[in-house]
Amino acid sequence: GNLDIPRDLLQDWDVVVIDDEEDSLMVAEIILREYGANLYTASDGAEGLDIVRQVHPRFVISDVSMPVMDGWGFIHALRNDPDLHEIPAIALTAHAMIGDRERAVEAGFHNYLSKPLTPETFIIDLLNLLMDIPSLAASLNI
């Protein structure tokens, strides 16, 4: 259960979450803050990109389907920006969209989380993904 995960897991990590759905943002925000992260949120990819440029977060979580600039536009811009291209990004994909998972990784996301996000499993699922990213795994407070 969550008991084995230290409360300071992400202490002082800047994290950006981009999603146009209030529910997902809320789950991510509550849980990430609970584990020590400084959270920045945006509701579309363009706004998210601006925030990423400002804060250079440890990682980004981005939904793929959003208005204005979607997750595909966001990851394309991120990977093609010399200042930002090394920032790990995790896609949020709806269960129904099977092809999105493969497409997400091909597009440059490190991995994906399935929506809806649930408070019970979110941190465990996220931790498993972060452990797969060498640049982040080393600095997790475990």
Side-chain angles (χ1 to χ4, degrees):
N2 291 3
L3 298 177
D4 344 39
I5 300 180
R7 281 282 181 254
D8 62 353
L9 179 73
L10 305 174
Q11 195 64 50
D12 297 328
W13 284 32
D14 292 330
V15 179
V16 174
V17 179
I18 311 168
D19 198 341
D20 60 325
E21 290 175 16
E22 207 49 54
D23 294 357
S24 303
L25 283 181
M26 215 165 69
V27 171
E29 196 162 354
I30 290 166
I31 305 290
L32 290 168
R33 287 209 167 121
E34 194 177 320
Y35 289 94
N38 304 319
L39 203 68
Y40 301 84
T41 61
S43 54
D44 69 70
E47 188 192 345
L49 210 51
D50 286 343
I51 296 173
V52 169
R53 286 197 180 104
Q54 288 163 34
V55 305
H56 274 259
R58 299 296 278 277
F59 66 93
V60 180
I61 298 175
S62 175
D63 191 28
V64 291
S65 53
M66 295 177 289
V68 189
M69 178 194 273
D70 63 13
W72 310 115
F74 169 79
I75 195 68
H76 182 75
L78 189 74
R79 292 291 164 249
N80 286 287
D81 186 318
D83 293 331
L84 309 176
H85 75 272
E86 289 186 1
I87 297 173
I90 294 163
L92 290 180
T93 64
H95 275 297
M97 310 299 287
I98 300 301
D100 278 356
R101 297 172 172 188
E102 291 73 18
R103 188 179 163 197
V105 175
E106 280 166 21
F109 283 103
H110 280 72
N111 216 318
Y112 60 85
L113 288 165
S114 293
K115 296 173 77 168
L117 298 179
T118 59
E120 298 75 36
T121 60
F122 175 70
I123 195 69
I124 301 277
D125 294 343
L126 179 64
L127 181 55
N128 288 332
L129 299 192
L130 298 179
M131 303 276 281
D132 275 342
I133 303 171
S135 60
L136 297 183
S139 23
L140 287 165
N141 289 318
I142 298 181

